[in-house]
Amino acid sequence: LPLAIETERESDIRTALALAARLKLRLVLVGAAEGWRAADAIAAAHVPVVLNPFANLPTSFDELGSRLDNAAILAAHGVTVAIGKAGGGIEESYNAGLALREGAGLAVANGLPHATGLAAIITAPRAIWGLPAPTLTAGAPADIVVWDGDPLEPATNARAVIIEGQEANLANRQRALAEHYLGGERR
């Protein structure tokens, strides 16, 4: 398993990279608000980053260099980027899926290529933690979501969800109320 180090400040990022190189550790940077300042070194070390795309204003002195295009700069340098970060509100959310999609969408709105934004919430996390890449082949286990629009757009809705080959029931209280009072589903 990789060693995950949560750090925001450029100097700490560079120290973590040096430590990983010296001890021959497989490293993952978590946070990296100032990662854009060390993007070349992170890329050269082949270290992935799990970041908070909502970080644009510092919440501590460690994050003084926070900027919304951090993910785009890191990806442009060849760094594998995933969305999600402790304290970033994603894993603390009542609905982590929506927060992940919104975070990836925000990163895309700030220069991250759309395909890279999707990868940051679908394939990059699996690769970072050493899990096999997802496949969509006959007989393979799969979780699939069919959207009515761009999955990175918060206003889109899931039209079908398939978990381990079984279609999930999407009925919920909000949909039932909309159908009852509005005569059908509305957005």
Side-chain angles (χ1 to χ4, degrees), residues 43-59:
H46 304 289
V47 171
V49 176
V50 180
L51 57 77
N52 174 11
F54 297 100
N56 68 330
L57 295 172
T59 58

Side-chain angles (χ1 to χ4, degrees), residues 25-124:
L25 298 172
R26 196 169 129 225
L27 179 66
V28 175
L29 292 173
V30 179
E34 294 185 355
W36 62 274
R37 290 181 168 162
D40 55 346
I42 296 169
H46 304 289
V47 171
V49 176
V50 180
L51 57 77
N52 174 11
F54 297 100
N56 68 330
L57 295 172
T59 58
S60 72
F61 286 108
D62 290 346
E63 299 173 354
L64 287 177
S66 297
R67 50 191 286 177
L68 286 172
D69 59 352
N70 188 22
I73 293 169
L74 288 167
H77 280 82
V79 175
T80 298
V81 174
I83 303 299
K85 188 246 173 237
I90 290 175
E91 71 289 334
E92 298 166 355
S93 169
Y94 69 94
N95 186 344
L98 179 61
L100 284 172
R101 290 190 311 122
E102 184 179 356
L106 183 61
V108 167
N110 285 284
L112 187 67
H114 192 272
T116 308
L118 285 171
I121 59 174
I122 298 170
T123 57

Side-chain angles (χ1 to χ4, degrees), residues 140-152:
D143 295 341
I144 301 169
V145 180
V146 178
W147 300 94
D148 64 2
D150 183 350
L152 300 184

